[in-house]
Amino acid sequence: MVMRKDIRQIRPYVYEVARNFRHDMRVPARFYADELILQQALNDDCLDQLINTATLPGIVGYALAMPDIHQGYGFPIGGVVATAGADGVISPGGVGFDINCGVRLLASHLDRQSVQPYLSALATELYKQVPSGAGEKGFVSLSVKELDEVLAQGSRWALKKGFARADDLENTEERGMMAGADPAHCSTRAKERGKSQLGTLGSGNHFAEVDEVAEIYDDEAAQAMGLFPGQIVVMIHCGSRGFGHQVCTDYVDMFQKVIHKYGIHLPDRQLVCAPLQSPEGQAYYAAMSCAANFAFANRQLLAHQVRQAFRTVLAGKVKNFDLFQVYDITHNMAKIEMHDVDGQRLQVCVHRKGATRAFGPGADVLPRDYQDIGQPVLVPGSMGTASYVLVGTAGSMAQTFGSSCHGAGRVMSRSAAKRLVQGGELRGHLQAQGIEVRAGSLAGLAEEAPSAYKDVDHVVDVVHNAGIARRVARLVPVAVVKG
């Protein structure tokens, strides 16, 4: 088990466990923190999990983790691992069960003052229009054939069906569709779980939230994104629902057998993997891409429903209630990308487990409007706390395979939060702060209490000061919808 004495600070906000800490490590384990976050990380097994990822075949550079690091399945949440070469592997645990859990930011042309008289009605309508909760079904009923189209096409399917705009796709990571998706590599069980869940929020830490832009730090970047002080925006956080969970489950089970076939030895069976170029590795990548496309389409349908709610409540009351898309980012993905590693340009498979892609200015995959500023990075806080809009930097490209944090990061398990927090009291506390809350479960509300998370302001300070993303705007919640 790693201890404080085993960790050295190599520069401000960057800590490392050396490669020789354990005989099976192939690279150092490096993470972004300050002394407080370091101490929090020592309270669970996340740093030992990070060290375990440093043993993966084909890993290059470092095993990395962001300051929202906490214990996960196999990989720590906040983990970033790049593998390359003939023996480079892909690991379902390095992606996670909620494949392409991500965040979409919609922005209005309205300020808080103009929306305030209708805020309660808007929160209620959002709760009505955005199905939330573990077992909820969406408003779109899909046949298996139609579901296969969603899995192959992602947001492009939504565009064809009238649930999206061309600008939505332009301002979505991968333009809303992962290439290489093949529904044939997804199980019947996964499809059964997914076909009724498109356009649903789910439960856990997923939410739809109306925010106010409280502060702007970078005028040029904010202007490029259409953000201004006092503006009303909407943040949607969700993923691939039961479909993605089943894809991960299926391939974790398959890979338990595959590692023996390829002679792979691991310190933790949750790290199971296969060579990326193997038939099994390619099958997982194709299925993971299907789950990613499901998630893109899911957030797109939710954006459509949010627009419907704004129209229902605000039409005839304010001049312009339209919502435009700022960006949609993914967490929990493995992507094939080109990066500089030890002076060489390499094609690598970058696993981001609870981490966000944060490409810097000039990256050719970015929308035209963001070429000069870098990729928007959306960092949601917890209920009652701020969220942030950042942009990727040249520093993230040089240090972290173009990656940044994805949220605040838990410091308390869901079961512990439910023991210590009363959902009704939390709702009353949030409403006393002027935050409208609509939730189907008080227990679910308690699980996501602000006290269960790190201070998002603190986490973002580390990211900003370390140079792997730059602050653009701070958002504060005014209405929250949760399952």
Side-chain angles (χ1 to χ4, degrees), residues 463-483:
V463 165
H464 177 86
N465 291 329
I468 56 175
R470 189 175 75 253
R471 279 188 297 250
V472 175
R474 185 175 187 267
L475 318 177
V476 295
V478 297
V480 178
V481 172
K482 292 192 70 69

Side-chain angles (χ1 to χ4, degrees), residues 12-13 32-34 36-37 67-68 215 217 379 388 390 404-405 407-408 455-471 474:
Y13 307 104
Y32 288 75
D34 59 12
L36 173 61
I37 290 174
D68 49 344
E215 193 167 0
Y217 304 98
V379 183
Y388 281 85
L390 316 175
S404 182
C405 68
D455 180 348
V456 69
D457 297 324
H458 188 188
V459 169
V460 168
D461 280 348
V462 170
V463 165
H464 177 86
N465 291 329
I468 56 175
R470 189 175 75 253
R471 279 188 297 250
R474 185 175 187 267

Side-chain angles (χ1 to χ4, degrees), residues 36 53 106 118 170 195 200 204 218 241 318 323:
L36 173 61
T53 67
L106 306 172
Y118 316 107
E170 174 66 15
K195 70 179 185 179
T200 64
D218 185 318
R241 306 287 281 111
V318 298
L323 295 169

Side-chain angles (χ1 to χ4, degrees), residues 36-58:
L36 173 61
I37 290 174
L38 170 56
Q39 291 301 324
Q40 291 171 330
L42 288 167
N43 289 333
D44 64 20
D45 293 333
C46 62
L47 293 181
D48 292 292
Q49 288 186 321
L50 179 63
I51 290 166
N52 286 343
T53 67
T55 71
L56 286 168

Side-chain angles (χ1 to χ4, degrees), residues 155 222 336 404:
S155 292
I336 310 303
S404 182

Side-chain angles (χ1 to χ4, degrees), residues 44 83 85 132 157 213-214 470:
D44 64 20
T83 63
S132 58
W157 175 88
V213 178
R470 189 175 75 253

